[in-house]
Amino acid sequence: ELSKTPDNVELRISLGRALLLDENIDEAINLLSDGQRLTPNEKLQNAIAEALIYKGDKIARNRQTPNSLAQRVLVVHQALKLAPNNPL
């Protein structure tokens, strides 16, 4: 359980991926970002970047969102800034 071992990077990444699969993208980003603040780690950084890409894809699918292209570009830019060497 994460509350007992908040610095468990692998568990945090697994929970983040489960949240992504359930379309809880912002919650996944928050969970992973909290972990990055507790235990700075390249794996967490990459996982946050991947979650941001998911968020960008969700924005792209919802074309009724005002300024969706600008929002998507911003999110993808954040992801690339976090993990420039990740092929995403």
Side-chain angles (χ1 to χ4, degrees), residues 18-87:
L19 288 166
L20 287 175
L21 290 173
D22 205 29
E23 295 280 325
N24 293 316
I25 298 169
D26 289 330
E27 191 175 344
I29 292 169
N30 290 335
L31 177 83
L32 296 166
S33 296
D34 288 346
Q36 182 69 0
R37 281 189 287 280
L38 287 172
T39 310
N41 183 290
E42 187 177 353
K43 287 182 181 180
L44 281 168
Q45 203 165 334
N46 284 329
I48 296 166
E50 290 170 14
L52 287 167
I53 294 297
Y54 272 91
K55 185 173 183 169
D57 287 344
K58 185 175 182 180
I59 291 168
R61 288 192 310 264
N62 186 4
R63 296 192 184 269
Q64 295 174 358
T65 302
N67 301 318
S68 63
L69 179 59
Q71 289 176 4
R72 186 172 188 212
V73 168
L74 179 64
V75 169
V76 170
H77 177 72
Q78 288 174 317
L80 291 173
K81 195 171 162 184
L82 272 173
N85 297 322
N86 187 338

